[in-house]
Each structure stands twice: as C-alpha cells, then as structure tokens.
Amino acid sequence: MGKVASSSIRARLLISAVHLLALATLVSVLLAAIVSQKISPFHSFIRGTPLEQWGSYIVGVVTRQDLFWRQFLARLPLLKDEQQAHDLLIERIQAYRPSHALVWRDGRSAFGTLRQRGPNTFRFDFETATGPVSLPVDRSEIAWSRRIVYEPVSLTPQDVRFLLEFPQLKCYHLPPYLFVADVPFGQVMAARDILGNLADEFFAVFAHLLPRWQPGKLAYACLYRDEPSYLAQAIQRKDAHLEKSTGFYSQQENCLYLYDPLGSFERHRAERLMKALPDGPDLAFNQQRLYNFLQLEQFRTLRHEGAHQLAYSYGLHSSEGVEHLWLVEGLAQYCETSPIGQLQPQHMATLVEALQQGRLIPWLELVNTHTTADLENYEAEVAYAQSWLLFHTLMQPAFRPRLNQYIRNLQAISPGDLGKARSELLDAHLGIPLIEVARQMNDQLTAFKRRANGPATLDNTGKSAPADKP
C-alpha cells in the first residue's frame, strides 16, 4: 500500500507541475501579446514593471526563433526550379556589370561599357538618373579610364531566395554586399564605399565586443530610385513608423532598405516653392544647398542603418532586443559621422532647445524605455538626440570600459536580471548613479549654448571642454 500511495503522490505532483508549467506558459504568451501589441488597458497596468520586462523577453525569444527558422529554411538546398534560377541570376549579375569607370576632361564621371570603334573613338554606354545613355567619345575627351575587375559570382541558397523577391530590380554582386537596386551603378558603388568605410571603422572600435564572425557571408542592401518605390516596401513592415523613415534595416533579411533623397517628396516640395522665386544666383545657391543637404542625409542614413546591420549581424546586439532604445539608436547615431564618434552639433542644438523648454526626457525614463513607441508623450527627435548624447558620453575614456562590460553582460543577460530596470543595471556597471552622468550631460548642453564661437568638445571625463582642446 505504501508504494501505491507514494506513486499516487508522485503522479499528483507531476500533474500539478505540468499544470503550473502550462499556466506559466499561458501567462508568458499573454504578457508577450500585451507588450508587443500595446493592448489597452492591460499594457498600462504592467508598464515599467518586471512583468513588462518578462513580456519583452518572451517577444525577443519568439523573434529569435522566428529568425532562426527563417534563416534555416533560407539555407536549405535549392529546389530544382531554384537551381535554374541560381544560374539565371548569375547571368543577370554578369550582364549588369559595367566594364569601365570613365572621367571626361570636363569633370564628368560615370560607370559604363566602353567599346572601341576606331583608332581614337569609342562608344560609351552608361546609365543616368533619367535612363540609359549611349555617347560617342573621342580619346582626347577622356581624362582617365579604368577597367573594373570583379570577384567571381558566388551565391548561397539564401542569396538566391533573397534575389528572387526582387525580380524587377537589377542585382549587383559586390562582396561583402549583395545589392538590388533601380538606381544607376555609380550610386550603388558610392553606397558600397560608404558602407565599406563604415565597416572598417566599426570593427576598429567594436571588434572586442563582437561574439560572431562569419567571413564570406554577404550582407544585403536594397536601393530605390525614389521615395514612392521605397514606401511600397516600407509599408509592408509591421512598424508603421517606417512610413516616415528615410531608410531602415530588416533583421529578418539582414537587409538595408534606402532610397535616393533626390527622388524624395521633400525635394519636389522644395523645388515647387523655389519655382516661385525669381531666377538668379540666390535660386541656384538654394538649389545646390538643398541637394547638398539631401546627399548628407543619405550619407548619414547609410551609416546609421549600416551600423544597425553590423551590430545585429555580428552579435553586438542581441536578437531579443534587451539593449533598449538608447543603446541601439545611440550606437547607430554614434556611427553616423566619419570618423565614428564625432560631436554632432545638430543633436546638441536640438537638446539645448529641449532643455530650455523643459522637453527633455528624464534620463532614467529614457534608459528604461524599450522603443520610441513607448515614449508616446515625448518627441522622437529628442529621444534620438538624447540617446546619441548618452552613448557618446559613455564612450569617453572615463566610462568606456564600464560601458563595454555592460554591453557584454546584456549579450548574455541572466533571467534574474530581466526584471530589473535597465537604469539599475547601468548604475551597477558605471559605478556612479546615472543621475550623476545626467548632470554632466546637462552641463555639456549648457556649455554648448554659451559657446558662441564654436561647438564644445568632450574631454576624457565626458564633461565639456574648449573647442580647440584635442
């Protein structure tokens, strides 16, 4: 009888444990749904509590599994029809390749196909923003030309399946990037150069924090000619804020999506306003100023989204998104300048104005906020600028080793730390309260405002210093 009773007790305990596990799983799923969809009024009940932290973690775990299975399926051997597509794609890539880079003596430059027609005459076929062009070129008109040497085309099953999603776009195999685009080849090469320079700088600064390294794996980039084409892609994403973006990074495809700002609504609106102005040097100056601004914005967007791609691809950021807004966006903005980490006066000016008007986000609230969507009572521009300033400050020598350790610990965060506020974890790593770092940053903003003759720089402690101090 004793054995029977003991077995019965063990069975009841096992059933109870199964019930508790099922209940915990159900609660976790409900929390994840509430956090991811911001379901009212339940989300307001758990906001800022360990329950929200746990729900965010479950969302991250599900995201990681989704990414894993997507990538696993993308790497499966090609089916018969996909193998045929593989061969056709290689032919397409080779067909799109310009043969030469050419510079005319009047300063124009282009990538295209150069064919000799006579002893001193050539035919140069190239693409512009308005379409293909074919020109006769005399040898005397050429200042410089160079044949372009390409690496052999090698496509993985994942590459093939990615390219098959964009049948209307040209594809360019330019390791370590695989581009799909409807812009001229010159713009693709310019983007590759910007991203390549960023990668060199990124690895020089963050290599010791990168747990994953996959040599030979291609990263993807999709470049559109104009904003409407880009928006058609962006609005398919779950994040509605992409409809107002100039570019974004998709972790699922490991792909950057951007468009040429000269094909933006902003440019067309500005040009319509300019048409009302009289012709003259002021009009030409304003047009050039607009083009320069849009091109600078594209440069910054490329480096910003490229930094996201590098950080997620090489494991500096976790798939679960435990890093929170300030760290993810602060790092990306830190990488917008070349070299990485330069002071950004436009962010400082935004923050000075916000400080004067009482619009700054409390620093503790910023650090504890998961995404910009959770800062519904604040301005996104201010949130991003504050994220940049905090990351920039903590990258100074006095704080940087401690920030590095904080990032390493987030990469392998323990379940026991999930429910803790990020500000609490950050305080523990910095060795001083975040509120003290916030006071130093506010001092920087005040010093920047006072400095009328030039921007402030940051000294080794993260405090303001004279502009001419190295």
Side-chain angles (χ1 to χ4, degrees), residues 382-430:
V382 175
Y384 276 64
Q386 284 188 239
S387 300
W388 164 80
L389 180 58
L390 178 55
F391 189 84
H392 190 287
T393 301
L394 297 184
M395 281 294 287
Q396 303 310 307
F399 295 120
R400 188 166 174 178
R402 295 175 180 271
L403 174 63
N404 288 342
Q405 190 56 49
Y406 175 73
I407 293 173
R408 289 192 188 96
N409 286 357
L410 287 180
Q411 291 169 349
I413 191 168
S414 65
D417 284 336
L418 281 174
K420 294 181 180 178
R422 291 296 181 270
S423 57
E424 180 182 345
L425 296 178
L426 190 58
D427 282 353
H429 285 83
L430 295 181

Side-chain angles (χ1 to χ4, degrees), residues 33-147:
I34 291 169
V35 170
S36 63
Q37 301 299 321
K38 305 293 185 294
I39 299 175
S40 297
F42 307 106
H43 185 250
S44 61
F45 299 156
I46 66 170
R47 180 178 294 172
T49 69
L51 290 176
E52 184 184 35
Q53 296 285 345
W54 180 252
S56 297
Y57 183 74
I58 296 301
V59 171
V61 170
V62 173
T63 300
R64 168 176 277 189
Q65 291 302 312
D66 181 56
L67 286 171
F68 170 80
W69 285 108
R70 283 174 179 268
Q71 293 167 359
F72 174 78
L73 293 173
R75 289 192 297 265
L76 289 176
L78 295 175
L79 302 175
K80 184 176 180 180
D81 58 337
E82 291 175 328
Q83 184 59 53
Q84 294 173 344
H86 170 275
D87 300 335
L88 290 173
L89 285 169
I90 290 180
E91 292 178 9
R92 282 178 57 194
I93 290 172
Q94 293 170 337
Y96 292 148
R97 288 175 161 178
S99 63
H100 287 77
L102 186 145
V103 178
W104 282 267
R105 292 194 181 278
D106 60 9
R108 292 176 295 155
S109 62
F111 294 91
T113 301
L114 188 66
R115 296 183 177 88
Q116 190 162 3
R117 296 302 189 191
N120 294 300
T121 58
F122 302 86
R123 171 67 61 176
F124 190 56
D125 299 312
F126 61 100
E127 188 179 3
T128 69
T130 56
V133 175
S134 182
L135 290 178
V137 181
D138 190 83
R139 187 181 298 275
S140 62
E141 299 177 82
I142 301 175
W144 176 86
S145 67
R146 176 178 62 85
R147 177 172 287 278

Side-chain angles (χ1 to χ4, degrees), residues 198 202 206 300-301 303-309 311 317 325-337 344 384 388 391:
L198 167 66
F202 186 91
F206 299 110
R300 292 177 57 193
T301 300
R303 288 184 63 98
H304 181 108
E305 302 304 334
H308 283 319
Q309 185 176 54
H317 292 333
L325 167 74
W326 79 269
L327 184 55
V328 172
E329 295 301 337
L331 183 146
Q333 291 175 103
Y334 187 77
C335 295
E336 287 179 359
T337 61
Q344 298 201 41
Y384 276 64
W388 164 80
F391 189 84

Side-chain angles (χ1 to χ4, degrees), residues 72-79 82 89 156-166:
F72 174 78
L73 293 173
R75 289 192 297 265
L76 289 176
L78 295 175
L79 302 175
E82 291 175 328
L89 285 169
T156 67
Q158 190 170 359
D159 299 335
V160 171
R161 292 177 176 122
F162 169 76
L163 292 177
L164 289 175
E165 294 183 24
F166 303 93

